[in-house]
Amino acid sequence: MSQQIPGLPDMTYIDREKRTFLDQIYFWEITRGILITTKHFFRNMAKWLTFRKGGVVILYPEEMRPDYSQNNRGRHILVQRSDGSPRCVACKMCATNCPAECITIVAEESDDSNIQKRPKVFEIDVSRCIFCGFCVEACPVDAIRMAPTTEELAGYNRFRMIYDKKTLMTWKPTVNDDVVHGYNP
Amino acid sequence: MEEVKITVDGKELTVAKGTLLIDACEANGIYIPRFCYHKHLTKSGNCRMCLVKIEKTPKPQPSCMTPVADGMIVHTRTPEIDAMRKAMLEFVLINHPLDCPICDKAGECMLQDQYMEFSGDKSRFNETKVAKEKLYHFSDRILYDAERCITCSRCVRFTSEVSKTNKLGLVLRGDSSYVSLAPGDTFDDPYSDCVTDICPVGALTSKQFRFKERVWNLHKTPSICAGCSRGCNISIETKDNQVYRVRPIENEHVNKSWMCNFGRDYYVHPTAERLTSQRSKKNDLDYNTFIKEVTPIFKENGAKMAFIVSSHATNEELALAKQLADVIGVKDIFTKSDREWKEDSGEVKEDDILITADKTPNLAGVKKTFTKAKDISTLTVSPFTHAFVWGVNASVKDLTKLKLIVLSTERDVVSDKADYLIAGQTPAEKHGSFTNIDGLVQPFRRAIRGEQNTSDLQFFVDVLKTLGETPLGRTVDEVRAAL
Ligand code: SF4
Ligand code: SF4
Ligand code: SF4
Ligand code: SF4
Ligand code: FES
């Protein structure tokens, strides 16, 4: 028989010693599973027919959800100064803080002696990123943010998943055109 | 030595008379914050960060200026002292720029560390900070940022006491004060990079290391500088098998806290064209074939072989080389200096601070191992048919006419003509020990891996084994234990 684990409300497991005949022939258990699936199918169908939320799945990445929370941690944005250069000063705080170690930065001397330091290479390997937002929290100059959407985050190979400085700066989320907006605790 | 008893924070300490209070505390595990105090410079007592409460004195005293006295009762963490430390830090930080993200010192900055440890207060300063010169090019090696400077005068004392060039001075007063060169002067000093180490903040930074890497990402390997025979204790700081910078490690008996600029560049900008594999005259060989082909040559021609030893070799390798020379019956062993001072290199030949005239790390070790060795200048090729050349710079007339076995790190005239050539390791790539000019034996560890997959020590071990001998040891530690 299935058994309740004390202290954990909804979790059950099968105790092999105590399986009944009904459990062992599997027929009833399989039918029960199909019934649950069917129940969801009809419930979703009903929702969809009555134009309610949560009816069908989204065909990501072709379709995007229109209802991301504004605080969702989606794709990274490198914030720009008014002249289009990155605001980032290549301090590597984000790379140091990143638990997935997926940020690579190489610094160089900036042409502007008031800025001094800027990133020559800034790469995020989003296939390793866990979307924790620690990089955003670590940045001392608010140069990296995460847009609420996950647009164009899918790719056919893993090299496509390494975003360089240009990609991080040119991409503008369409859900919310204001690039300055995004996850920013 | 006369000793006195003092009490610090309730702990009874016995220290030598005349010790400074700050040293006495540090030796006993009580850290007192400081900026201007440096162990190997005179004390100036200007930063007031090291104030402590001494009973029976009316006011707190700077511990870096106070020698211990018998019966002294000292408190280092009273609320009054803590408040004073906070106030000192706030005072220093009033005009300090918020530069940590672009400051190369961040991560090893005494101001950051001591702020985190002793203050943590928020800034209350709403006025405009004093703006100063941020990119003052002291020389082509050193950059000075006057805004970050806390005018502790360590760098000034360094140039007047240690390097004795008296290049730097503090000018103006109060919040306008900054470090300056004489007008039109540049900071040419063979030890100038030391000021970037002793500057407690990021005011003086090295241009060579500028923006290269954040310091906390560097892996530090303690080593011995191979730039000259002084044997300065250094820390080779690497990341991904690349040397980013070299800094001195404190050693009271050798280099105090200093090292010369040349030693720093020696590891960071290797210039020579490196050898990476082994070959015979005609073709590339794999390592085992190479050993198999070379060993008989050693065996049969020992008596007619000029055995030329490298002064870059470690003591452990030398011991094995000596064993090999004894086994094959070598009669003539020659020492050579692998790197010699050149007039036009701009390098200092010799001074009475650290730099020695012998530009290799282990000539003393070579002479100690091979007591009967002659200098290479006495070598004439006529009595020999073969030569084993270890290392570079074997400048002997007609040497290439002999049959040559060469163990070397880089391409030169001799290795190009070699009959058998195997790539060697630079000091940064091996474990071992060097004997410095004063006879001090100092061990060191490997900091980076070379491109070649063989080691100098292993070469001698394998040749000895192929000869049917038992080598002194198979690893550095075994050889060291056998010595
Ligand atoms: S979101 Fe987290 S895992 Fe992804 S880059 Fe930022 S710090 Fe790294
Ligand atoms: S923390 Fe911010 S400024 Fe620093 S490297 Fe990352 S994005 Fe750039
Ligand atoms: S000197 Fe220290 S506190 Fe000042 S900017 Fe540099 S790291 Fe920050
Ligand atoms: S440059 Fe550095 S060492 Fe020199 S006075 Fe300023 S803070 Fe002190
Ligand atoms: S360390 Fe004592 S006054 Fe500066």
Side-chain angles (χ1 to χ4, degrees):
Chain A
M1 255 330 277
S2 60
Q3 211 181 332
Q4 181 90 33
I5 300 176
L8 293 175
D10 286 316
M11 286 175 73
T12 57
Y13 73 100
I14 304 288
D15 190 339
R16 287 189 172 273
E17 306 291 309
K18 293 183 190 157
R19 278 183 302 177
T20 59
F21 178 69
L22 207 57
D23 287 341
Q24 281 185 25
I25 59 168
Y26 290 109
F27 180 74
W28 166 239
E29 288 297 311
I30 290 169
T31 318
R32 200 162 68 93
I34 292 172
L35 284 178
I36 291 172
T37 316
T38 320
K39 189 176 87 194
H40 282 287
F41 173 74
F42 282 112
R43 191 200 275 166
N44 288 345
M45 185 67 96
K47 274 189 184 167
W48 183 62
L49 289 173
T50 54
F51 304 105
R52 275 183 294 161
K53 190 178 156 183
V56 286
V57 291
I58 304 251
L59 298 173
Y60 183 84
E62 286 84 12
E63 286 174 27
M64 295 288 291
R65 285 176 68 152
D67 58 343
Y68 277 120
S69 154
Q70 281 306 304
N71 294 328
N72 181 49
R73 298 190 297 257
R75 231 187 97 162
H76 299 82
I77 307 169
L78 267 187
V79 182
Q80 300 172 15
R81 297 172 203 262
S82 49
D83 65 353
S85 61
R87 194 190 269 177
C88 168
V89 293
C91 71
K92 302 195 189 176
M93 286 296 146
C94 49
T96 305
N97 210 22
C98 176
E101 298 189 358
C102 62
I103 308 181
T104 311
I105 300 165
V106 177
E108 68 175 356
E109 189 84 41
S110 168
D111 305 332
D112 186 344
S113 65
N114 288 324
I115 296 171
Q116 295 196 21
K117 199 177 178 185
R118 70 176 178 202
K120 183 169 157 200
V121 175
F122 194 111
E123 281 176 1
I124 300 181
D125 183 349
V126 284
S127 65
R128 269 159 65 192
C129 173
I130 55 168
F131 300 93
C132 59
F134 282 7
C135 49
V136 181
E137 283 176 46
C139 184
V141 293
D142 191 13
I144 189 166
R145 293 190 178 178
M146 290 169 97
T149 87
T150 56
E151 193 181 343
E152 291 175 16
L153 206 54
Y156 284 109
N157 61 46
R158 54 188 75 174
F159 304 108
R160 163 71 180 72
M161 308 301 283
I162 299 173
Y163 292 166
D164 62 6
K165 190 169 78 176
K166 195 157 150 269
T167 321
L168 289 165
M169 280 182 21
T170 47
W171 176 74
K172 303 233 161 74
T174 48
V175 174
N176 186 338
D177 269 339
D178 182 6
V179 269
V180 177
H181 199 87
Y183 171 67
N184 179 21
Chain B
M1 205 188 289
E2 212 178 323
E3 285 187 329
V4 294
K5 277 199 169 54
I6 60 169
T7 314
V8 182
D9 292 346
K11 246 208 267 182
E12 188 131 314
L13 312 176
T14 314
V15 289
K17 195 177 172 185
T19 320
L20 290 173
L21 192 48
I22 195 168
D23 291 330
C25 290
E26 187 157 14
N28 289 285
I30 300 164
Y31 182 79
I32 295 177
R34 78 288 297 264
F35 287 120
C36 68
Y37 161 90
H38 189 281
K39 198 172 176 187
H40 295 120
L41 297 172
T42 54
K43 318 297 175 254
S44 73
N46 64 42
C47 76
R48 317 314 270 185
M49 196 57 208
C50 66
L51 295 179
V52 291
K53 175 79 193 144
I54 301 174
E55 280 185 16
K56 301 200 184 104
T57 55
K59 285 183 182 170
Q61 300 293 320
S63 59
C64 71
M65 298 292 281
T66 316
V68 290
D70 207 12
M72 216 178 221
I73 301 172
V74 185
H75 302 283
T76 68
R77 297 292 312 236
T78 63
E80 185 198 8
I81 294 295
D82 281 355
M84 232 165 257
R85 286 176 182 172
K86 277 191 179 185
M88 271 328 299
L89 282 165
E90 185 170 24
F91 184 55
V92 167
L93 285 166
I94 276 183
N95 279 316
H96 199 82
L98 272 172
D99 268 356
C100 302
I102 57 162
C103 179
D104 278 335
K105 198 75 172 187
E108 54 184 19
C109 171
M110 288 173 77
L111 184 52
Q112 281 185 330
D113 292 351
Q114 294 182 16
Y115 169 82
M116 295 309 283
E117 174 112 22
F118 300 105
S119 170
D121 282 351
K122 284 226 163 73
S123 170
R124 293 183 290 164
F125 189 70
N126 295 323
E127 292 73 14
T128 320
K129 295 192 179 216
V130 176
K132 290 188 202 168
E133 175 71 56
K134 283 193 79 69
L135 291 168
Y136 187 162
H137 296 264
F138 270 7
S139 70
D140 53 4
R141 302 182 64 93
I142 307 287
L143 199 61
Y144 175 62
D145 185 327
E147 285 186 359
R148 292 181 199 155
C149 176
I150 59 168
T151 60
C152 69
S153 83
R154 274 184 178 190
C155 54
V156 177
R157 280 175 281 148
F158 175 82
T159 57
S160 72
E161 291 159 17
V162 181
S163 73
K164 303 214 171 62
T165 52
N166 290 304
K167 289 274 186 186
L168 303 180
L170 274 163
V171 295
L172 300 185
R173 288 182 297 176
D175 61 8
S176 326
S177 179
Y178 65 95
V179 176
S180 177
L181 292 160
D185 201 2
T186 54
F187 188 21
D188 297 328
D189 182 333
Y191 295 89
S192 67
D193 282 21
C194 288
V195 298
T196 66
D197 299 331
I198 57 169
C199 182
V201 290
L204 288 162
T205 49
S206 156
K207 284 193 189 172
Q208 175 259 110
F209 182 62
R210 185 166 163 83
F211 300 159
K212 287 279 185 317
E213 193 46 83
R214 302 317 311 260
V215 295
W216 57 85
N217 290 332
L218 297 174
H219 181 79
K220 302 178 173 64
T221 314
S223 187
I224 303 297
C225 180
C228 81
S229 59
R230 177 68 62 195
C232 291
N233 292 211
I234 56 170
S235 153
I236 303 182
E237 308 198 354
T238 56
K239 186 177 173 246
D240 298 337
N241 212 26
Q242 193 192 333
V243 180
Y244 278 82
R245 63 172 181 178
V246 173
R247 308 177 89 209
I249 297 180
E250 192 183 307
N251 185 331
E252 205 59 52
H253 307 292
V254 183
N255 57 322
K256 303 266 197 308
S257 304
W258 324 119
M259 74 180 292
C260 73
N261 292 349
F262 179 84
R264 296 179 198 251
D265 296 347
Y266 188 69
Y267 289 89
V268 183
H269 311 292
T271 44
E273 194 182 338
R274 286 294 304 276
L275 299 169
T276 52
S277 61
Q278 53 283 330
R279 62 164 176 82
S280 68
K281 191 130 206 156
K282 286 182 215 79
N283 36 16
D284 291 347
L285 299 175
D286 69 53
Y287 181 70
N288 291 336
T289 327
F290 182 84
I291 297 288
K292 251 187 230 125
E293 291 193 14
V294 168
T295 312
I297 304 177
F298 273 120
K299 193 174 177 181
E300 285 150 25
N301 303 294
K304 288 169 281 163
M305 184 178 271
F307 203 85
I308 305 171
V309 182
S310 163
S311 56
H312 271 142
T314 66
N315 290 332
E316 291 75 12
E317 289 157 9
L318 289 169
L320 287 172
K322 183 166 195 299
Q323 195 188 356
L324 175 65
D326 289 347
V327 166
I328 61 174
V330 172
K331 292 207 191 72
D332 299 276
I333 294 165
F334 298 91
T335 63
K336 83 177 150 56
S337 195
D338 280 38
R339 198 172 70 81
E340 270 160 3
W341 181 75
K342 285 195 197 71
E343 193 84 46
D344 53 359
S345 61
E347 192 190 338
V348 178
K349 181 163 188 234
E350 191 174 11
D351 62 18
D352 48 11
I353 306 167
L354 291 175
I355 304 173
T356 62
D358 172 10
K359 297 298 178 195
T360 53
N362 206 19
L363 205 54
V366 173
K367 289 192 175 138
K368 211 160 83 184
T369 315
F370 297 98
T371 37
K372 292 213 189 70
K374 288 167 264 180
D375 192 80
I376 195 165
S377 55
T378 64
L379 170 61
T380 45
V381 295
S382 47
F384 304 105
T385 57
H386 288 70
F388 169 62
V389 185
W390 188 0
V392 289
N393 195 26
S395 46
V396 177
K397 198 163 155 274
D398 294 338
L399 185 64
T400 47
K401 288 197 178 132
L402 301 178
K403 283 229 170 298
L404 292 175
I405 302 174
V406 178
L407 167 59
S408 177
T409 52
E410 55 194 71
R411 273 192 68 179
D412 65 358
V413 217
V414 178
S415 61
D416 280 351
K417 291 271 165 53
D419 294 273
Y420 283 97
L421 172 66
I422 181 165
Q425 295 168 299
T426 61
E429 291 163 5
K430 53 190 174 188
H431 303 311
S433 65
F434 286 146
T435 306
N436 84 346
I437 192 163
D438 304 321
L440 192 67
V441 181
Q442 303 187 98
F444 57 91
R445 306 298 295 175
R446 171 174 61 208
I448 50 172
R449 269 169 205 285
E451 256 181 82
Q452 80 288 7
N453 50 9
T454 55
S455 93
D456 294 6
L457 192 90
Q458 197 60 40
F459 171 73
F460 290 110
V461 170
D462 288 337
V463 172
L464 281 167
K465 275 203 279 188
T466 319
L467 283 170
E469 294 291 321
T470 323
L472 275 177
R474 276 149 223 271
T475 63
V476 172
D477 296 329
E478 280 179 31
V479 178
R480 203 177 286 164
L483 286 177

